[in-house]
Amino acid sequence: MSQWIGFTNQKLYQCRLLLAQRSAADGGALIKALEEGATHLLHDAWLSYLQELGEMVAYRQPVSSLEQLMTSCPLPTGEMRELAQLAENSFSWLAQMLNGIAALSRPDTVRQQAASNGIGLISLTDTSDSTQVDDWFRSLQGLIDLQRENRQES
């Protein structure tokens, strides 16, 4: 079994823990910190999963993006192509998650400015019980589980 499978699962578990803590948190700053921390863990899980996919085709180099994996690995798999289709669709949860992760590296004012200029950055704060980060977590975990199950069946 790949060491990356356990690492991906660990990052998803840690993300779930932060999201659970966020639900019980009182302060706005704490809620935002827990949500941003969960988003960073989602990013770590995403990169770990890409590494896991690369390892399946004997690609052993560090992976920094899906595009880099697909252009560098000897044989892009069906799983990689599925992820690429999701990432290219700006309305998909994966494209929104990747945009949300990228937005974390910018100050709030730059995020707001980009959003007003029509760049589709996703806000990470929401007053509802289920936020986009919760949805991204469920979607990423579901996709990973489904792709792993499909590999076991074949």
Side-chain angles (χ1 to χ4, degrees), residues 36 98-111 114 119 121:
E36 284 190 20
L98 294 173
N99 284 336
I101 289 167
L104 286 178
S105 65
R106 300 179 192 101
D108 286 338
T109 54
V110 175
R111 286 187 227 166
I119 299 173
L121 300 178

Side-chain angles (χ1 to χ4, degrees), residues 99-150:
N99 284 336
I101 289 167
L104 286 178
S105 65
R106 300 179 192 101
D108 286 338
T109 54
V110 175
R111 286 187 227 166
Q112 292 165 355
Q113 206 172 30
S116 67
N117 290 336
I119 299 173
L121 300 178
I122 308 301
S123 171
L124 294 178
T125 56
D126 188 359
T127 55
S128 68
D129 288 340
S130 176
T131 66
Q132 288 177 317
V133 179
D134 292 298
D135 294 340
W136 296 339
F137 168 77
R138 283 190 297 274
S139 297
L140 182 61
Q141 179 147 25
L143 179 77
I144 290 171
D145 290 344
L146 184 63
Q147 286 188 347
R148 285 176 179 167
E149 286 173 21
N150 288 340

